[in-house]
């Protein structure tokens, strides 16, 4: 007879993982409506803001995709209790740094166009990405991921 020892995560692990998936799914949705330039996306911005978004360099758009789809995949990894979620969240965080911090804050002119409110979402996204990476690392340490 073999016995398997499992280290079951607490309920708040599952709640956090589902919230992470929802947060990242919203980011993926925002990426897709931007990439397909949908009417709902266009309705959210002025013509000047749309021009700024549409003139983003391809590397910034690619970093946006890596950030959001990496976040979705990392969240799925958490729900599946897989250690590889850490690597995917790290990749997502690098995408966040490239897109949200380097491009949006320092290169795009978003602060001039949107005002200081343009600082909030990039910083919040970076903080959440960092917290998810730390949460995943802690989950590995606790033995909740395999």
């Amino acid at each position: 007879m073999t016995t398997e020892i499992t280290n079951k995560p607490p309920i708040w692990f599952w709640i956090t993982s589902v919230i992470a998936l929802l947060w990242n799914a919203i980011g993926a949705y925002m990426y897709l409506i931007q990439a397909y330039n949908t009417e709902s996306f266009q309705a959210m911005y002025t013509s000047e803001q749309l021009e700024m978004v549409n003139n983003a360099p391809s590397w910034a758009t690619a970093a946006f995709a890596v950030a959001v789809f990496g976040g979705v995949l990392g969240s799925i990894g958490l729900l599946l209790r897989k250690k590889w979620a850490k690597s995917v969240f790290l990749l997502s965080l690098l995408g966040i740094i490239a897109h949200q911090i380097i491009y949006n804050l320092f290169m795009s002119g978003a602060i001039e166009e949107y005002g200081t409110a343009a600082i909030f979402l990039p910083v919040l996204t970076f903080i959440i990405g960092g917290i998810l990476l730390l949460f995943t690392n802690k989950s590995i340490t606790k033995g909740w991921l395999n």
Side-chain angles (χ1 to χ4, degrees), residues 86-104:
K86 179 181 176 182
S87 299
V88 181
F89 276 131
L90 178 59
L91 188 61
S92 176
L93 187 60
L94 292 174
I96 291 168
I97 291 168
H99 181 260
Q100 292 287 353
I101 305 300
I102 294 172
Y103 179 70
N104 280 348

Side-chain angles (χ1 to χ4, degrees), residues 3-145:
T3 58
E4 185 176 312
I5 299 172
T6 60
N7 195 1
K8 289 179 64 172
I11 189 71
W12 60 266
F13 168 89
W14 299 107
I15 293 168
T16 303
S17 299
V18 168
I19 291 170
L21 181 59
L22 292 173
W23 167 259
N24 286 296
I26 291 168
Y29 170 76
M30 294 305 295
Y31 172 83
L32 290 172
I33 66 170
Q34 178 179 325
Y36 288 102
N37 202 19
T38 64
E39 287 182 22
S40 63
F41 175 75
Q42 292 176 17
M44 294 168 37
Y45 299 100
T46 66
S47 60
E48 293 82 16
Q49 292 168 338
L50 281 172
E51 184 178 335
M52 185 180 66
V53 170
N54 291 331
N55 289 329
S58 57
W59 67 265
T61 303
F64 186 14
V66 167
V68 298
F69 292 113
V72 168
L73 187 58
S75 299
I76 291 169
L78 281 177
L79 291 168
L80 295 174
R81 297 179 57 194
K82 299 296 180 185
K83 287 182 182 179
W84 53 255
K86 179 181 176 182
S87 299
V88 181
F89 276 131
L90 178 59
L91 188 61
S92 176
L93 187 60
L94 292 174
I96 291 168
I97 291 168
H99 181 260
Q100 292 287 353
I101 305 300
I102 294 172
Y103 179 70
N104 280 348
L105 282 184
F106 299 113
M107 297 176 69
S108 70
I111 295 172
E112 291 81 14
E113 185 64 38
Y114 299 101
T116 55
I119 298 170
F120 177 74
L121 189 59
V123 171
L124 177 66
T125 304
F126 175 74
I127 290 169
I128 291 173
I131 288 170
L132 288 175
L133 183 60
L134 292 172
F135 174 72
T136 304
N137 195 52
K138 186 71 167 178
S139 297
I140 292 169
T141 303
K142 293 279 190 179
W144 300 334
L145 305 182

